[in-house]
Amino acid sequence: DTEVTQTPKHLVMGMTNKKSLKCEQHMGHRAMYWYKQKAKKPPELMFVYSYEKLSINESVPSRFSPECPNSSLLNLHLHALQPEDSALYLCASSRWGSSGVQVSGELFFGEGSRLTVL
Amino acid sequence: QKEVEQNSGPLSVPEGAIASLNCTYSDRGSQSFFWYRQYSGKSPELIMSIYSNGDKEDGRFTAQLNKASQYVSLLIRDSQPSDSATYLCAVTESNYQLIWGAGTKLIIKP
């Protein structure tokens, strides 16, 4: 059983739609991450939240908007996406996090949300 | 540009043999090293972490780190068809950024 849960598993949206990806972790972790992964590529870091504060934004376009309502929840709001944004979006958590640029290498990933933008 | 390099493969290994996966990194100040397994269409799963020179064993998996040569490897003993996956090497560099290799596709042939 995965302890990092992502919903939905699959999402198809048009370029004018607004949708959200959700992530919940029950591991007591204080750092949560959004990664984007294209086929045959490694995960690409988008955002890091540490103690519910945004600590890293890897120059992600504003059509992606993260939100961390509490230490267990992480959302990614999507608006006016482009077809090239189609990818697997991965949420991850880790045991520790701090302000600045630290990113843990011991990541626990959810199953991912596969996004298709038409 | 600091890098983590892996042979993309595919690496084909007979069932029961030892699979050897290799990774090199460019930042001599790197501190932490990780191996992730990713099945097709699934998310990455952490299988090994190693922080100091030498070998670390966990079941059929052994991670080997040589900081002088800037080299980390993963050995899988008694390879099984279920080990067929892409293996991603990730390195925490001196500025604490986590850098990923492109992954090696491993195929275990029955």
Side-chain angles (χ1 to χ4, degrees), chain A residues 16 19 29 35 66:
Chain A
T16 59
K19 297 286 185 183
H29 291 167
Y35 278 88

Side-chain angles (χ1 to χ4, degrees), chain B residues 8-15 17-21 79 84 104-110:
Chain B
S8 62
L11 174 65
S12 184
V13 173
E15 183 176 357
I18 296 175
S20 178
L21 303 162
S79 296
S84 298
T104 297
K105 184 173 183 178
L106 175 65
I107 298 172
I108 306 300
K109 291 188 171 181

Side-chain angles (χ1 to χ4, degrees), chain B residues 46-93:
Chain B
L46 179 66
I47 54 172
M48 290 290 282
S49 307
I50 186 166
Y51 300 93
S52 55
N53 276 330
D55 294 0
K56 179 182 178 183
E57 185 175 322
D58 183 1
R60 296 187 295 112
F61 298 98
T62 299
Q64 299 176 317
L65 176 60
N66 184 326
K67 288 186 177 180
S69 301
Q70 296 176 235
Y71 176 95
V72 58
S73 64
L74 179 71
L75 302 178
I76 307 174
R77 290 183 299 281
D78 188 23
S79 296
Q80 303 296 311
S82 59
D83 295 325
S84 298
T86 295
Y87 289 81
L88 296 160
C89 173
V91 176
T92 302
E93 297 193 325

